[in-house]
């Protein structure tokens, strides 16, 4: 493990990149200039060495003027010279005590390493970047560090308390994408850092709380930048949202007041015309407008900081194919109708977490082609604690599966579709998946807490296709190149439907010639409208923007196509 210490990586870089094969421990008593060197003679890649420290340009110039002299090639000189060091992705596991010798070091960046303990900070250090390290312990002492970057480090709520205790002079703190779950606890720690101007907490489970931005704005008044946004812009946005909310409340109260006044007037007119003499109209209490609470003085229930609610509402906007059964032909249906119906099932998963399964029974499932009809809808609400498991699930998104459990059907000799009956004289059931879709939103940055959108369902096999969730950059070009293959697939499906219809027509013709008294089912008598009865259209929320994605490119031999079904999905995160 020793070769992955900070000091070992540093001296390896000096030897290999700066070409200092021999290094003295201390500076010599006298400086002896050797001779000037050309770029070829030095053999140092200046662009490469300045990437891990701009101070190398100064050392490079010194070597070119004096050669590899002893007063340059020694550890004491090198340690004194460096003020800025960047060792990203160097597999460093330990910040060893040699770091304390870098008396002039002001910026240290050790991102994407394997550091578990933060320790041995040089006294003059101003900025420390440790993003994406599996940090377990913050072994800190009192220090005047001004910026600390610890994003993607698996830190829990206790870490922010240690930071506020030992680094009270911090101006900037980045703790994005860690495991902070307690919003109140974290804010109280940040209050102890009176100079704090920049703070990033997005990506933590606590971001899922509906009062996230409001609580930050109310309690950390000195901030200038929060979650990579202007603090003032956030505050103005919240104030505007609160004004709009209160305006809607006032408008609702105004309408309510108008209705009450109208009722009072109608009652007075009625009493004047036909009421008993001297009888006064019943008193009507007019509700007064509520007082608007300004955003500067919000009243937050602390319970709202410990749980959040996911509200998911789903509607179908195009008709599902139904199965029409006749209770007169199948007497058992009247007593056991559920076994003869189509049962539609919507399964909702937040990746790795089962949310809810909704089953919808149809008395008769319509096959009418009514534009914008909402065949079914359901809504569920569920409370969650802001923990790491739910954060990771939300980050991956929701997976919606729509399937149908229905009787198995066959084409009878008379050409009609009939259910396959089991030994118990009830139809055998089968489950058919109609399609799947995935929905994602940028909740982990604290905004986009709700949205309405329409999604197309794709076939079931898209669940195993990574491209379904993360489109390729050149996906549309690839699909365009494969349009001929897609067209052939469509034509093959059309030919298969034609063949099935031809088989049905053939059996119908054969049944006509047999002279049998075949009892016809009047399946659609409950569905068809009379000639004089207007057909009522149930219009869905078609003003929502439709997800325009029609195809998913997987490879040259496989392209997923969207089904004809649309799901209107409304998501809300909060109370």
């Amino acid at each position: 493990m020793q070769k992955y210490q900070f000091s070992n990586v540093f001296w390896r870089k000096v030897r290999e990149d700066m070409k200092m094969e021999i290094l003295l421990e201390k500076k010599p008593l006298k400086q002896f200039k050797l001779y000037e060197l050309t770029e070829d003679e030095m053999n140092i890649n200046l662009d490469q060495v300045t990437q891990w420290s701009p101070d190398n340009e100064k050392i490079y110039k010194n070597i070119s003027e004096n050669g590899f002299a002893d007063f340059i090639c020694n550890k004491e000189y090198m340690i004194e010279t460096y003020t800025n060091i960047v060792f990203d992705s160097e597999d460093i596991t330990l910040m060893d005590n040699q770091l304390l010798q870098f008396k002039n070091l002001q910026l240290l960046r050790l991102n994407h390493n394997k550091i578990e303990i933060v320790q041995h900070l040089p006294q003059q250090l101003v900025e420390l970047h440790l993003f994406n390290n599996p940090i377990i312990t913050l072994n800190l002492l009192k220090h005047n560090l001004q910026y600390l970057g610890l994003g993607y480090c698996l830190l829990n709520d206790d870490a922010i308390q240690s930071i506020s205790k030992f680094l009270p002079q911090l101006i900037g703190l980045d703790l994005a994408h860690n495991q902070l779950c307690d919003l109140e606890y974290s804010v109280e720690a940040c209050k102890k850092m009176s100079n704090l101007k920049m703070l990033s907490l997005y990506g933590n489970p606590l971001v899922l709380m509906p009062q996230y931005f409001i609580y930050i704005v109310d309690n950390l008044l000195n901030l200038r930048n929060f979650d990579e946004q202007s603090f003032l812009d956030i505050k103005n946005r919240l104030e505007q949202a609160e004004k709009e909310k209160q305006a809607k409340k006032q408008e609702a109260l105004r309408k309510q007041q108008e209705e009450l006044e109208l009722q009072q007037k109608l009652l007075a007119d009625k009493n004047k015309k036909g009421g008993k003499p001297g009888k006064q109209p019943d008193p009507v209490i007019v509700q007064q407008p509520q007082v608007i609470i300004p955003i500067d003085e919000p009243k937050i229930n602390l319970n709202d900081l410990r749980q959040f609610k996911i509200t998911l509402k789903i509607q179908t906007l195009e008709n599902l194919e139904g199965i029409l059964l006749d209770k007169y032909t199948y007497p058992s249906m009247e007593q056991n109708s559920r076994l003869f119906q189509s049962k539609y099932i919507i399964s909702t998963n937040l990746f790795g977490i089962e949310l809810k399964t909704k089953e919808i029974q149809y008395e008769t499932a319509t096959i009418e082609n009514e534009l914008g009809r909402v065949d079914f809808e359901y809504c569920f609400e569920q409370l969650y604690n802001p923990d790491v498991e739910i954060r990771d699930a939300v980050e991956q998104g929701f997976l919606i599966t729509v399937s149908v459990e229905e009787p198995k059907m066959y084409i009878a000799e008379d050409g009609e579709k009939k259910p396959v009956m089991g030994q118990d004289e009830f139809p055998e059931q089968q489950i058919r998946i109609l399609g799947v879709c995935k929905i994602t939103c940028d909740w982990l940055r604290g905004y986009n807490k709700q949205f309405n959108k329409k999604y197309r369902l794709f076939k079931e096999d898209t669940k195993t296709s990574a491209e379904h969730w993360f489109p390729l950059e050149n996906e549309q070009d690839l699909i365009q190149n494969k349009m001929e293959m897609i067209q052939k697939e469509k034509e093959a499906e059309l030919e298969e439907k034609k063949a099935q219809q031809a088989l049905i027509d053939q059996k119908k013709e054969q049944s006509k010639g047999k002279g049998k008294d075949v009892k016809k089912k009047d399946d659609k008598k409950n569905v068809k409208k009379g000639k004089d009865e207007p057909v009522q259209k149930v219009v869905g929320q078609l003003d929502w923007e439709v997800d325009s994605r029609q195809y998913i490119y997987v490879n040259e031999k496989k392209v997923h196509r969207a089904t004809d079904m649309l799901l209107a999905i409304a998501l809300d995160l909060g109370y």
Side-chain angles (χ1 to χ4, degrees), residues 297-388:
E297 299 178 4
K299 305 210 178 280
I300 296 177
N301 186 345
L302 293 181
N303 289 329
D304 294 350
L305 302 179
R306 299 183 177 95
Q307 280 190 319
F308 69 97
K309 179 170 61 178
I310 292 179
T311 302
L312 180 63
K313 182 179 180 181
I314 299 177
Q315 297 175 323
T316 57
L317 295 183
E318 294 185 8
N319 292 328
L320 301 168
E321 287 186 358
I323 298 175
L324 299 174
L325 299 175
D326 187 351
K327 65 182 179 182
Y328 300 105
T329 305
Y330 305 101
S332 300
M333 179 180 174
E334 194 164 5
Q335 292 81 24
N336 300 277
S337 60
R338 293 175 68 89
L339 295 175
F340 286 81
Q341 298 165 3
S342 295
K343 180 170 67 177
Y344 293 95
I345 305 166
I346 298 181
S347 177
T348 312
N349 287 275
L350 190 55
F351 272 66
I353 301 174
E354 180 74 23
L355 292 183
K356 189 143 185 172
T357 296
K358 176 72 174 180
E359 297 182 353
I360 303 101
Q361 288 278 2
Y362 275 78
E363 289 298 325
T364 54
T366 180
I367 58 173
E368 288 185 339
N369 185 21
E370 296 184 9
L371 178 64
R373 177 187 172 100
V374 179
D375 282 300
F376 61 74
E377 68 177 40
Y378 90 98
C379 177
F380 83 87
E381 298 179 343
Q382 199 157 338
L383 286 171
Y384 294 96
N385 295 319
D387 55 32
V388 176

Side-chain angles (χ1 to χ4, degrees), residues 369-414:
N369 185 21
E370 296 184 9
L371 178 64
R373 177 187 172 100
V374 179
D375 282 300
F376 61 74
E377 68 177 40
Y378 90 98
C379 177
F380 83 87
E381 298 179 343
Q382 199 157 338
L383 286 171
Y384 294 96
N385 295 319
D387 55 32
V388 176
E389 182 183 16
I390 194 71
R391 186 273 310 272
D392 294 343
V394 165
E395 193 169 22
Q396 294 184 69
F398 293 81
L399 185 65
I400 312 295
T401 303
V402 180
S403 56
V404 58
E405 182 180 339
E406 58 191 1
K408 290 183 180 179
M409 306 298 286
Y410 74 100
I411 301 173
E413 292 183 354
D414 58 3

Side-chain angles (χ1 to χ4, degrees), residues 23 65 104 173 244 272 308 320 371 418 440 449 479 529:
L23 283 168
E65 294 175 351
N104 299 316
L173 176 61
E244 293 174 359
K272 186 182 293 186
F308 69 97
L320 301 168
L371 178 64
K418 295 183 179 181
T440 58
K449 295 287 187 181
I479 290 172
K529 308 292 182 183

Side-chain angles (χ1 to χ4, degrees), residues 120-346:
H120 300 137
L121 304 187
Q123 194 58 40
Q124 298 301 318
L125 194 65
V126 176
E127 293 185 39
L128 176 60
H129 302 251
L130 292 171
F131 291 90
N132 195 18
N133 280 280
I135 293 174
I136 298 174
T137 304
L138 297 175
N139 188 10
L140 301 173
L141 299 174
K142 283 284 185 177
H143 198 286
N144 292 325
L145 192 72
Q146 295 184 19
Y147 174 85
L148 179 61
L150 290 173
Y152 299 88
C153 289
L154 307 178
L155 298 174
N156 57 27
D157 291 312
D158 293 333
I160 196 168
Q161 290 290 343
S162 297
I163 292 169
S164 63
K165 179 179 179 181
F166 294 104
L167 305 175
Q169 302 302 318
L170 278 179
I171 296 175
L173 176 61
D174 193 329
L175 293 172
H177 288 277
N178 279 289
Q179 299 180 359
L180 306 181
C181 300
D182 194 322
L183 180 58
E184 183 184 5
Y185 190 74
S186 297
V187 168
E188 288 303 312
C190 290
K191 283 182 177 180
K192 299 175 183 178
M193 295 176 280
S194 57
N195 295 332
L196 195 63
K197 297 293 186 292
M198 298 178 293
L199 177 64
S200 290
L201 297 176
Y202 64 86
N204 285 282
L206 56 79
V207 176
L208 297 172
M209 304 310 299
Q211 304 289 351
Y212 174 62
F213 275 125
I214 295 176
Y215 196 68
I216 293 293
V217 167
D218 289 344
N219 288 277
L220 301 178
L221 304 178
N222 292 331
L223 288 181
R224 296 294 175 266
N225 186 286
F226 179 64
D227 281 357
E228 299 180 357
Q229 304 174 64
S230 165
F231 189 77
L232 182 60
D233 289 347
I234 295 173
K235 187 175 181 180
N236 291 338
R237 189 168 68 240
L238 290 174
E239 290 176 349
Q240 182 62 32
E242 182 65 16
K243 288 179 182 178
E244 293 174 359
K245 179 180 177 181
Q246 296 300 335
K248 289 181 180 178
K249 285 185 178 181
Q250 295 289 13
E251 179 65 18
L253 289 172
R254 185 187 64 78
K255 290 182 179 179
Q256 183 180 2
Q257 184 174 355
E258 290 178 354
E259 291 177 0
L260 291 171
E261 291 174 352
L262 179 60
Q263 291 175 8
Q264 187 180 32
K265 184 176 182 299
L266 291 174
L267 184 59
D269 292 344
K270 180 179 178 181
N271 290 336
K272 186 182 293 186
K273 291 179 180 180
K276 295 182 180 180
K279 183 177 180 180
Q280 298 297 321
D282 295 333
V284 178
I285 300 174
V286 179
Q287 186 174 355
Q288 297 300 317
Q290 296 179 354
V291 178
I292 299 176
I293 300 175
I295 191 68
D296 293 334
E297 299 178 4
K299 305 210 178 280
I300 296 177
N301 186 345
L302 293 181
N303 289 329
D304 294 350
L305 302 179
R306 299 183 177 95
Q307 280 190 319
F308 69 97
K309 179 170 61 178
I310 292 179
T311 302
L312 180 63
K313 182 179 180 181
I314 299 177
Q315 297 175 323
T316 57
L317 295 183
E318 294 185 8
N319 292 328
L320 301 168
E321 287 186 358
I323 298 175
L324 299 174
L325 299 175
D326 187 351
K327 65 182 179 182
Y328 300 105
T329 305
Y330 305 101
S332 300
M333 179 180 174
E334 194 164 5
Q335 292 81 24
N336 300 277
S337 60
R338 293 175 68 89
L339 295 175
F340 286 81
Q341 298 165 3
S342 295
K343 180 170 67 177
Y344 293 95
I345 305 166
I346 298 181

